[in-house]
Amino acid sequence: MKTDIDRAVIEAVSSGAYIMGGPVQELERQLAVYTRVRHCITCASGTDALRLALKAWGVRQGDAVFVPDFTFFATAEAVSSEGATPVFVDVDCETFNIDPADLENKIETTVQKGVLIPKVIIAVDLFGLPADYAAVRRIADNYGLLVLEDGAQGFGGCANGKRSCSFGDISTTSFFPAKPLGCYGDGGACFTDNDEWAELMDSYRMHGKGSSKYENVRIGMNSRLDTIQASILKVKLKAFDEELAAVNQAAAHYNARLADIVATPVVPAGFLSSRAQYTIRLNSKTERDALQSELRSQGIPSMIYYPIPMHRQGAYRSLDTVVSQCPVASKLCDTVLSLPIHPYITSEEIERVCDAIKGFMQELTNHA
Ligand SMILES: *Cc1c(COP(=O)(O)O)cnc(C)c1O
């Protein structure tokens, strides 16, 4: 895509419309069509996108927002930035996504305590797999809560024919370079079918503008997507479905080679993952850490997404720890390992990673 991307960048720079230029609106229209959602409002990052959604709903101090305990810090941080309190919910050990049973538990406990007012459930499409929105929606309706889909890693995923970033009352994504649809810097977007919320988020991203730029009717943020980034994303969006197929093919190759020796990622029937990460589970922290060093010694990069559950983050040490018990998330932090994956990884590279893992597991059995 280099030729097209270079041309798009030069055009954006020559146009002089660096902020909110034509390509930003064009990209928003294309993303709305792609996700089949009425409105797309781009912004400066996936973190800001979450904050814009919470602002549109008037979420504030005294409100409880239910957040999976196993996610990137920004999911919870956005809640705290708006003055509300995150209540951490455990996740499913196979899909890594919010556990509906524990979600109901945590909502009940919060209601009984009577200190915070339950307002929003944030479900994360972790590692690219859409959360169980059928279950989340049932619970949300039951308690009168709003659903915010954090699709930062989920763009391109599907569940039962519906695309990621269309499951929430508002959904958000990130264009950080390492995400499924990445730009060449920071960027993000909000999606909603609701006209009023769309208008509010459009206002909040530009200093709470009213009907004109210098009429300000609320306290907002400065959070816009650069024209250069939008121009790059427009080019990358054209190749996105091809990349999605390629990255899923890479995952299938890993699955075929690894399914017998480690716990490979689970994609339930009817779901498609955007494969932001390919994350395996080992039996223990010792085993996981030893495998990571073995891979490192063979020059194979791997990452631990994520080493610390939200409820044990230093920033949240003052939160109620009884409410935030999440044993599955804690265990996952000790046992997961994400392997190299992207649409352009070769079969040879995948074979090399699998050989290294196979060799390591063989050694383990020999010593057992
Ligand atoms: C990356 C990420 C974010 C934040 O996106 P930024 O664009 O980096 O601000 C939020 N939630 C999840 C789950 C993420 O992976």
Side-chain angles (χ1 to χ4, degrees):
M1 286 174 258
K2 179 171 166 41
T3 316
D4 289 347
I5 289 176
D6 287 353
R7 188 183 304 129
V9 169
I10 289 168
E11 256 172 45
V13 171
S14 320
S15 79
Y18 309 127
I19 304 284
M20 297 306 278
V24 176
Q25 286 89 56
E26 286 155 25
L27 176 72
E28 288 177 341
R29 278 195 292 275
Q30 290 170 8
L31 292 173
V33 167
Y34 189 87
T35 53
R36 295 179 220 116
V37 173
R38 229 167 120 77
H39 304 281
C40 169
I41 298 99
T42 54
C43 62
S45 72
T47 307
D48 281 1
L50 291 166
R51 291 190 64 182
L52 289 168
L54 296 170
K55 278 183 191 300
W57 288 336
V59 171
R60 60 196 171 95
Q61 191 168 4
D63 292 342
V65 177
F66 299 89
V67 174
D69 197 44
F70 189 58
T71 181
F72 179 60
F73 188 65
T75 312
E77 185 187 35
V79 173
S80 304
S81 300
E82 293 308 310
T85 304
V87 176
F88 300 119
V89 179
D90 214 351
V91 295
D92 181 274
C93 69
E94 289 202 319
T95 64
F96 307 123
N97 283 331
I98 197 161
D99 173 13
D102 194 52
L103 174 59
E104 209 151 10
N105 268 342
K106 296 289 160 70
I107 296 172
E108 277 294 335
T109 314
T110 306
V111 170
Q112 273 158 31
K113 287 200 155 216
V115 178
L116 300 169
I117 306 164
K119 283 283 170 70
V120 175
I121 300 164
I122 305 186
V124 177
D125 303 337
L126 204 73
F127 306 148
L129 181 71
D132 183 356
Y133 288 101
V136 168
R137 179 60 68 185
R138 261 196 310 276
I139 296 167
D141 288 349
N142 201 18
Y143 290 93
L145 308 180
L146 291 159
V147 177
L148 174 50
E149 174 187 5
D150 180 351
Q153 303 180 15
F155 192 86
C158 275
N160 306 312
K162 212 168 138 63
R163 286 209 162 115
S164 282
C165 298
S166 73
F167 295 109
D169 294 303
I170 297 176
S171 302
T172 61
T173 198
S174 163
F175 305 123
F176 180 81
K179 311 285 181 178
L181 180 62
C183 64
Y184 287 11
D186 277 309
C190 305
F191 300 84
T192 187
D193 284 328
N194 183 296
D195 299 345
E196 187 194 335
W197 297 334
E199 201 178 314
L200 282 169
M201 292 190 289
D202 179 45
S203 165
Y204 277 119
R205 74 173 162 171
M206 283 187 265
H207 306 287
K209 76 177 167 76
S211 50
S212 77
K213 196 168 160 184
Y214 298 111
E215 185 214 355
N216 306 85
V217 294
R218 52 185 70 86
I219 303 298
M221 308 166 74
N222 173 14
S223 186
R224 294 163 301 215
L225 183 71
D226 285 353
T227 307
I228 293 176
Q229 300 304 341
S231 306
I232 293 166
L233 284 166
K234 278 180 60 197
V235 176
K236 291 193 68 185
L237 186 60
K238 281 194 217 147
F240 186 71
D241 280 338
E242 227 169 285
E243 291 190 334
L244 192 60
V247 80
N248 268 285
Q249 208 165 356
H253 187 169
Y254 269 127
N255 283 343
R257 282 293 313 277
L258 296 178
D260 295 341
I261 44 175
V262 293
T264 52
V266 171
V267 177
F271 283 64
L272 176 76
S273 171
S274 64
R275 302 288 187 184
Q277 301 297 338
Y278 184 89
T279 304
I280 59 170
R281 284 175 291 136
L282 286 304
N283 292 307
S284 66
K285 184 171 192 308
T286 322
E287 188 178 298
R288 189 270 312 272
D289 292 348
L291 173 60
Q292 185 171 42
S293 359
E294 175 58 27
L295 293 177
R296 192 182 300 121
S297 76
Q298 295 192 32
I300 297 168
S302 66
M303 289 294 280
I304 298 167
Y305 300 118
Y306 295 92
I308 305 171
M310 288 303 114
H311 76 274
R312 290 220 320 266
Q313 290 288 0
Y316 288 125
R317 71 190 150 253
S318 61
L319 283 189
D320 189 335
T321 46
V322 180
V323 178
S324 30
Q325 292 225 332
C326 298
V328 177
S330 299
K331 170 131 200 252
L332 287 174
C333 290
D334 285 344
T335 53
V336 289
L337 191 64
S338 298
L339 305 178
I341 194 162
H342 55 82
Y344 304 94
I345 194 167
T346 65
S347 292
E348 292 72 32
E349 287 169 324
I350 293 172
E351 286 291 315
R352 213 184 119 211
V353 178
C354 295
D355 286 344
I357 295 171
K358 216 155 199 165
F360 172 83
M361 297 308 280
Q362 197 73 56
E363 279 289 304
L364 275 191
T365 3
N366 291 348
H367 284 99

